[in-house]
Amino acid sequence: VQLQASGGGLVQPGGSLRLSCAASGSIFSINDMGWHRQAPGKKRELVAVSTSGGSTTYADSVKGRFTISRDNAKNTVYLQMDSLKPEDTAMYYCNAGIRTSDFRRSDYWGKGTLVTVSS
């Protein structure tokens, strides 16, 4: 199983970016899908998570600005980031709880995509 994240880049404060993360491989089912981020010199933190049941959770720092969504048919999770601030600058990682075709469940992580918010 692999998670491939994309969509990062350089954006000015107040701008928007949309991150995507697609899961591929011998997947039976996917439970939670989410995004974490890690800024230089800081610990990795949860940004947003979407459960298989459709509920979502956001970090307080991104509520009202970021929106997580998923396309279950494509095994893909998205993160729409609006009103970006310099403090949103970080490496963004997607993760997912996946049950593979042999019915084993594990947590998987993508390699990360860099978001830089700067004028």
Side-chain angles (χ1 to χ4, degrees):
V1 173
Q2 290 187 331
L3 296 182
Q4 182 64 48
S6 61
L10 173 64
V11 63
Q12 292 186 343
S16 298
L17 280 176
R18 188 191 194 209
L19 306 183
S20 300
C21 177
S24 61
S26 299
I27 297 170
F28 177 77
S29 63
I30 302 178
N31 299 316
D32 295 355
M33 300 187 81
W35 293 91
H36 290 68
R37 67 185 181 186
Q38 186 168 18
K42 294 188 177 181
K43 294 181 179 179
R44 189 174 295 190
E45 63 175 359
L46 172 69
V47 176
V49 64
S50 171
T51 71
S52 57
S55 62
T56 56
T57 302
Y58 296 91
D60 287 343
S61 59
V62 307
K63 282 181 181 177
R65 301 187 298 121
F66 290 11
T67 303
I68 189 170
S69 61
R70 58 194 283 177
D71 184 333
N72 292 325
K74 296 181 179 179
N75 291 336
T76 299
V77 63
Y78 305 95
L79 186 68
Q80 177 67 41
M81 303 186 294
D82 299 318
S83 302
L84 282 160
K85 304 176 181 180
E87 51 263 44
D88 295 318
T89 296
M91 186 70 77
Y92 283 69
Y93 299 90
C94 62
N95 78 299
I98 295 175
R99 190 175 300 278
T100 50
S101 55
D102 60 359
F103 299 105
R104 294 181 180 181
R105 189 199 178 282
S106 297
D107 291 324
Y108 294 86
W109 290 84
K111 288 187 177 180
T113 183
L114 181 62
V115 172
T116 303
V117 184
S118 176
S119 55

